[in-house]
Amino acid sequence: MLSRAQIQIYQATTNPALRFRCMAEIVKLINRDFKPSTVAADICTTRDRIIRQLTSNPDPYKQVKKTANEKALKLLAQTKKFVHTGHTQQERFKKACLCAIVGNIMEFDIPGHKFTLKDLSKIIKDAAKDLAIDDIDKAYEITKKSDSVLFLADNAGEIVFDTLLVEQLKNMGLKVTYVVKGGPVINDATMEDVEFSNMDKLADEIITTGTDAVGLLKKEVSPEFLKIYEQAELVFAKGMGYAETLTEYKYTKPHLHLFRTKCAPVANYFCVPRDKNIAKLIT
């Protein structure tokens, strides 16, 4: 939390006094709210809002997100070819899930986690080998019996790889509702990234959570989103933020969590090593 705060503050402002003030406020926040029962993502939501408010910078990761989208687009043809090597619908579904998971490596400012474009190419090739939890075939059986899916997006950049999975879901005859954040939060995807990735040309409907919270914070999401979420028959949830927050609620429908274990706490929770691919179906 502190490490990411410092990096984000330095991206948000060059004013030394303002940087100090921001960090002092973050330390106060953690001192006040950090308890064994606290959901880290909730503190991080408040942390990011403090930084944006004090620096008057509405989106400190704006340039970083643009770069991530551009890098992902350069690899889209390669990943699409990988998906299309699947001989059956189920094989293509699995390969598309793997690409969506691998896209989750495009995360910034997590201590000990770094990636390059070269790394991403290699990780795509090794995606299946790095799959520490593999519930993709189980998820496929549920998916092919469903009529619709709610797809919770994570970061900019990886949204480009999500298009491959959304394409497969459409080929299976599902209606896809794709969800991005209602405002800038870390490097999470927003409506701006939807247009850049052409996701709006694939998904049947694009909506937002109605808030700029990390993961899913039910008390903050819009009534419109909450209604759609509660009525959904199947949910695909991308990224660690949703894994951290959705596991705090009672699951009332199947959720397929797709992400990369980029930090030790999340890896430990799912009982797997760090830097592994996860396709965890929770019903």
Side-chain angles (χ1 to χ4, degrees):
M1 284 185 240
L2 284 169
S3 175
R4 196 163 207 172
Q6 182 186 22
I7 294 169
Q8 191 170 165
I9 289 165
Y10 273 63
Q11 288 177 332
T13 180
T14 58
N15 185 318
L18 196 50
R19 285 174 173 175
F20 185 90
R21 183 186 173 196
C22 286
M23 186 56 81
E25 291 299 321
I26 301 301
V27 171
K28 285 181 188 177
L29 166 71
I30 294 174
N31 183 58
R32 183 184 70 238
D33 293 348
F34 189 62
K35 302 176 180 69
S37 59
T38 302
V39 179
D42 294 348
I43 294 183
C44 293
T45 293
T46 305
R47 173 201 65 192
D48 292 358
R49 287 172 180 167
I50 288 171
I51 294 170
R52 292 197 298 271
Q53 180 182 1
L54 292 180
T55 63
S56 299
N57 186 333
D59 192 358
Y61 282 87
K62 187 175 182 65
Q63 185 55 45
V64 168
K65 291 190 290 184
K66 181 175 182 293
T67 300
N69 282 332
E70 291 169 350
K71 286 185 175 183
L73 280 175
K74 290 180 181 178
L75 282 173
L76 184 59
Q78 176 186 335
T79 50
K80 184 173 286 193
K81 185 176 180 181
F82 170 74
V83 172
H84 289 173
T85 58
H87 298 296
T88 65
Q89 185 184 73
Q90 186 168 355
E91 286 179 0
R92 291 188 292 274
F93 174 82
K94 182 159 191 169
K95 287 176 179 291
C97 284
L98 289 173
C99 288
I101 295 170
V102 167
N104 190 235
I105 195 177
M106 303 185 79
E107 185 76 79
F108 302 89
D109 305 337
I110 295 178
H113 172 74
K114 295 181 180 179
F115 80 92
T116 66
L117 196 58
K118 185 178 179 181
D119 292 335
L120 202 55
S121 299
K122 182 180 183 301
I123 289 169
I124 289 171
K125 295 176 183 177
D126 297 336
K129 287 193 296 183
D130 283 342
L131 202 55
I133 298 178
D134 183 3
D135 290 338
I136 296 177
D137 289 336
K138 292 179 187 176
Y140 175 77
E141 293 302 317
I142 294 174
T143 303
K144 71 178 184 179
K145 296 173 185 175
S146 302
D147 295 317
S148 62
V149 60
L150 186 67
F151 198 119
L152 304 177
D154 189 29
N155 299 330
E158 70 178 275
I159 188 175
V160 174
F161 298 108
D162 288 349
T163 61
L164 300 170
L165 181 51
V166 170
E167 182 180 42
Q168 293 306 310
L169 293 170
K170 292 297 300 173
N171 290 344
M172 292 170 66
L174 279 80
K175 176 188 175 184
V176 180
T177 300
Y178 194 81
V179 185
V180 294
K181 293 297 166 59
V185 50
I186 321 178
N187 59 322
D188 284 12
T190 61
M191 279 297 187
E192 186 176 345
D193 304 294
V194 167
E195 296 172 9
F196 192 93
S197 65
N198 291 321
M199 181 63 78
D200 52 333
K201 295 180 175 61
L202 284 170
D204 295 280
E205 186 178 8
I206 307 288
I207 64 172
T208 78
T209 58
T211 182
D212 59 358
V214 175
L216 182 64
L217 193 56
K218 282 190 176 181
K219 65 183 180 182
E220 286 201 9
V221 297
S222 68
E224 294 78 13
F225 166 80
L226 191 58
K227 181 180 179 181
I228 292 172
Y229 173 73
E230 290 179 344
Q231 291 179 345
E233 58 179 318
L234 174 63
V235 178
F236 281 34
K238 289 289 305 294
M240 294 198 304
Y242 281 119
E244 288 180 59
T245 51
L246 285 169
T247 47
E248 295 293 318
Y249 302 111
K250 182 179 179 181
Y251 286 81
T252 58
K253 69 206 72 186
H255 283 64
L256 179 63
H257 285 282
L258 301 170
F259 63 95
R260 179 97 167 168
T261 54
K262 292 164 292 192
C263 72
V266 172
N268 292 342
Y269 179 87
F270 286 91
C271 303
V272 300
R274 190 172 173 175
D275 294 323
K276 293 296 180 181
N277 298 330
I278 305 296
K280 176 68 175 177
L281 179 67
I282 301 179
T283 58

